[in-house]
Amino acid sequence: IWWLDPELTYGNAKPFVFTQGHSVCNRSFFPCFDTPAVKCTYSATVKAPAGMQVLMSATQSTYSEEEGVYRFYMEYPVPAYLVALVAGDLTHADIGPRSRVWAEPCLLQTAISKLSGMVERWLTAAESLYGPYIWGRYDIVFLPPSFPIVAMENPCLTFIISSILESDEFLIIDVIHEVAHSWFGNAVTNATWEEMWLSEGLATYAQRRITTETYGAAFTCLETAFRLDALHRQMKLLGEDNPVSKLQVKLEPGVNPSNLMNLFTYEKGYCFVYYLSQLCGDPRHFDSFLRAYIEKYKFTSVVAQDLLDSFLNFFPELKEQCVESKAGLEFERWLNATGPPLAEPDLSQGSSLTRPVETLFRLWTTEPLDSAAAASSADLTQWRTFQTVLFLDRLLDGSPLPHAVIKKLSECYSSQLDSMNAEIRIRWLQIVVRNDYYPDLHKVRRFLENQMSRMYTIPLYEDLCTGTLKSFALEIFYQTQNQLHPNLRKTIQQILSQGLNPLPAIDTTAGTADTPAMVLEDKVSEATNGAISLRDVNVSA
């Protein structure tokens, strides 16, 4: 349960509260069987002060103004983690026949302009693929930047971080991913967190089928290439033999399942589902299977064997061919082998969008550098966001770059990138930090002074503290810590406190009165031996 003071909201007017149940956090919200294997309906009565709008992930709601009481009822069985509540200074607008957006008043018009008419288009496309949308309404609430992830698929009421509103293509993908969860994850749920891919891998596959139907195959392939790049990046960090790269992960006692949320759950899971679809020959045949799968198992929880048995029974000719035992691509190996996916999708339909990225990257990284040819080969202002972030991610992978290259990159692109969205800007600023490029360091400071969300602060602080700029990071943190949620503040303190022996002297006169010892008193052992953070990609639940 996240309680926010008014200054941690956009409007700075009223306090705010929201819950985040995934994976096993709702046991701190209400007594429950906090496992995805158990589903039930629920009702709730919530008393709130006048002027506070309360919402829950429920199919029915009423409000008694005289009592100041909201009553909610979810008529379909859901696992505990999908019970969600939010309350604050929220207003709404209808954006479709069964959808509305909720946001703080100062954000509402932006939300309307980004999503009006779009959600119904995505729902209709999803229904054409996977059958009726069973939850009634599909509403969206935009949360303050303290929301710890990008999005959460609470039924009837998707939670999304407001920070993503400025990045149109990321917003589209994130909402469509949550729409896909209405079928895969919410209607049919993984019975154990050890098989989270049953929700995330299938939802990612469905998301890409929806984007292909609505935006074309090229866009889908571009987004997929960007995510698979991130998967391989994470694999280098974790190592190919790391057990968390399995689709069927073993949960040890005392381990929080959320610690196993990684790109393998999404992208390796997606690759396995895509492989199954290719065995059918035509993705529309696989769509038919998934419709039957949803119809058979809706409102229940399943294990991987349920999906795979249903698949083979639906396609008896594949069962006769023993596709589950095909050498090197055995279903069992997909589920239990560590390392990369056993097969990846053909992304050639996206070449019109990915080839210019590859060309530009090659021009900037081939020696000797021909900066004139590189600068004139592409106009980033005309590129899609996913093209630009793919290009910048590859430069990040190659960092540190020769000083002459980073200097020319800055001359060509830095001012252009200043006016682009935060997903692009943070990547350029990570390049600046990893290359110790001091002429653009003031932009890092300005960015962190204006960001309060985990996804736009943690990656930069990690990079600043990995290199030679920790004192610079400390200085910014002292100045900005009071505008950060206590949870985020503590995480950054842990990053800053690693390896501080002794603590460097910093001039804090421009910031708060806290001394370094006070600021860093919360150092904990998890800072050094916890899971590797997803510094290069934002994950939706």
Side-chain angles (χ1 to χ4, degrees):
I1 306 174
W2 296 62
W3 303 91
L4 309 185
D5 292 328
E7 53 268 28
L8 291 179
T9 67
Y10 282 102
N12 298 308
K14 297 178 182 178
F16 202 97
V17 63
F18 63 85
T19 65
Q20 171 60 13
H22 195 289
S23 303
V24 290
C25 296
N26 269 351
R27 61 190 66 181
S28 68
F29 180 21
F30 59 94
C32 59
F33 295 103
D34 203 357
T35 164
V38 175
K39 291 189 172 185
C40 64
T41 60
Y42 79 86
S43 59
T45 303
V46 184
K47 186 173 177 63
M52 294 293 286
Q53 177 67 52
V54 181
L55 305 170
M56 289 193 75
S57 55
T59 50
Q60 300 172 28
S61 64
T62 60
Y63 174 60
S64 169
E65 189 171 354
E66 183 179 338
E67 300 175 279
V69 169
Y70 292 83
R71 291 180 174 85
F72 299 94
Y73 178 57
M74 167 53 82
E75 62 192 279
Y76 303 116
V78 295
Y81 77 90
L82 290 178
V83 178
L85 176 146
V86 58
D89 185 15
L90 295 167
T91 55
H92 75 271
D94 290 337
I95 55 169
R98 46 185 164 172
S99 301
R100 64 179 42 156
V101 288
W102 292 88
E104 292 184 62
C106 59
L107 292 175
L108 185 63
Q109 286 306 314
T110 301
I112 295 168
S113 68
K114 301 280 187 177
L115 291 174
S116 185
M118 304 303 292
V119 173
E120 184 60 28
R121 180 184 177 194
W122 301 331
L123 284 171
T124 301
E127 287 182 314
S128 71
L129 295 168
Y130 305 120
Y133 177 74
I134 58 181
W135 303 98
R137 295 197 60 79
Y138 187 93
D139 295 341
I140 297 171
V141 59
F142 285 96
L143 275 68
S146 299
F147 188 51
I149 56 175
V150 179
M152 180 64 206
E153 68 273 13
N154 302 308
C156 308
L157 186 67
T158 287
F159 284 17
I160 298 191
I161 193 168
S162 298
S163 313
I164 208 72
L165 275 168
E166 69 171 276
S167 305
D168 289 2
E169 290 180 24
F170 279 82
L171 176 65
I172 288 169
I173 293 300
D174 289 331
V175 176
I176 292 177
H177 184 84
E178 307 314 317
V179 165
H181 269 308
S182 302
W183 287 262
F184 306 100
N186 295 6
V188 182
T189 309
N190 47 279
T192 165
W193 291 121
E194 293 179 330
E195 296 186 326
M196 212 181 302
W197 74 273
L198 283 169
S199 288
E200 297 302 348
L202 279 161
T204 302
Y205 177 85
Q207 160 212 312
R208 288 175 180 151
R209 288 289 290 127
I210 296 166
T211 58
T212 298
E213 293 295 310
T214 51
Y215 296 100
F219 176 74
T220 300
C221 289
L222 171 65
E223 184 267 335
T224 305
F226 162 71
R227 298 292 185 190
L228 289 178
D229 254 29
L231 174 69
H232 290 288
R233 189 173 306 118
Q234 188 171 81
M235 196 153 45
K236 287 179 182 176
L237 285 171
L238 295 171
E240 290 198 8
D241 295 330
N242 196 303
V244 302
S245 63
K246 295 181 181 181
L247 290 184
Q248 285 187 328
V249 185
K250 180 63 177 172
L251 261 178
E252 299 298 333
V255 173
N256 186 336
S258 293
N259 292 347
L260 301 179
M261 288 285 286
N262 58 52
L263 285 171
F264 297 96
T265 305
Y266 293 78
E267 297 303 334
K268 189 172 180 179
Y270 159 75
C271 287
F272 184 28
V273 177
Y274 180 87
Y275 170 71
L276 295 177
S277 76
Q278 292 300 292
L279 292 175
C280 306
D282 185 333
R284 288 172 296 185
H285 294 161
F286 193 65
D287 296 335
S288 299
F289 157 67
L290 289 177
R291 276 197 299 275
Y293 166 78
I294 292 292
E295 187 59 34
K296 179 178 181 179
Y297 290 110
K298 68 182 175 185
F299 306 131
T300 69
S301 300
V302 299
V303 295
Q305 205 57 49
D306 295 321
L307 172 71
L308 298 176
D309 286 347
S310 297
F311 174 75
L312 293 173
N313 290 334
F314 193 87
F315 297 105
E317 68 281 8
L318 295 179
K319 190 173 185 178
E320 289 176 13
Q321 296 169 25
C322 298
V323 293
E324 73 276 16
S325 304
K326 187 176 180 181
L329 293 164
E330 300 90 346
F331 290 0
E332 181 66 21
R333 188 174 175 191
W334 270 104
L335 296 176
N336 288 303
T338 60
L342 303 183
E344 293 189 9
D346 175 11
L347 302 180
S348 58
Q349 287 182 285
S351 60
S352 62
L353 297 173
T354 56
R355 194 180 300 116
V357 175
E358 292 160 359
T359 299
L360 186 62
F361 175 73
R362 191 165 54 251
L363 285 169
W364 279 107
T365 53
T366 299
E367 296 183 1
L369 173 66
D370 185 346
S371 58
S376 62
S377 70
D379 180 1
L380 298 194
T381 62
Q382 302 302 309
W383 273 14
R384 288 183 172 273
T385 290
F386 279 118
Q387 288 178 290
T388 306
V389 295
L390 184 60
F391 170 61
L392 295 175
D393 274 351
R394 291 183 176 178
L395 289 176
L396 266 172
D397 290 341
S399 292
L401 300 162
H403 181 74
V405 172
I406 188 69
K407 183 173 184 293
K408 284 295 183 181
L409 281 166
S410 178
E411 290 172 4
C412 288
Y413 302 128
S414 186
S415 59
Q416 285 182 28
L417 300 174
D418 283 346
S419 61
M420 295 184 186
N421 64 59
E423 289 290 342
I424 291 173
R425 295 202 312 280
I426 189 174
R427 286 169 167 81
W428 170 247
L429 296 177
Q430 285 185 273
I431 291 170
V432 167
V433 170
R434 290 190 195 181
N435 287 274
D436 294 332
Y437 189 65
Y438 289 90
D440 275 3
L441 215 51
H442 66 284
K443 297 182 179 183
V444 176
R445 178 192 295 275
R446 188 169 69 232
F447 186 84
L448 288 173
E449 286 173 348
N450 289 286
Q451 291 295 337
M452 295 184 289
S453 69
R454 177 173 294 267
M455 65 186 189
Y456 294 139
T457 52
I458 296 298
L460 276 171
Y461 274 107
E462 285 185 330
D463 281 345
L464 285 165
C465 292
T466 300
T468 61
L469 296 167
K470 182 172 282 190
S471 60
F472 178 71
L474 282 162
E475 183 182 334
I476 297 170
F477 178 70
Y478 293 150
Q479 294 170 3
T480 61
Q481 61 179 320
N482 290 337
Q483 71 190 41
L484 304 175
H485 187 276
N487 290 10
L488 176 57
R489 197 183 308 154
K490 184 174 182 179
T491 301
I492 297 173
Q493 287 168 353
Q494 292 169 6
I495 294 168
L496 292 168
S497 66
Q498 292 180 53
L500 282 186
N501 189 22
L503 190 73
I506 298 292
D507 178 8
T508 62
T509 54
T512 70
D514 287 354
T515 66
M518 292 166 62
V519 171
L520 296 171
E521 64 186 359
D522 290 323
K523 182 177 181 180
V524 294
S525 61
E526 286 89 85
T528 54
N529 58 23
I532 294 176
S533 62
L534 305 186
R535 63 197 296 163
D536 292 306
V537 66
N538 297 321
V539 170
S540 306

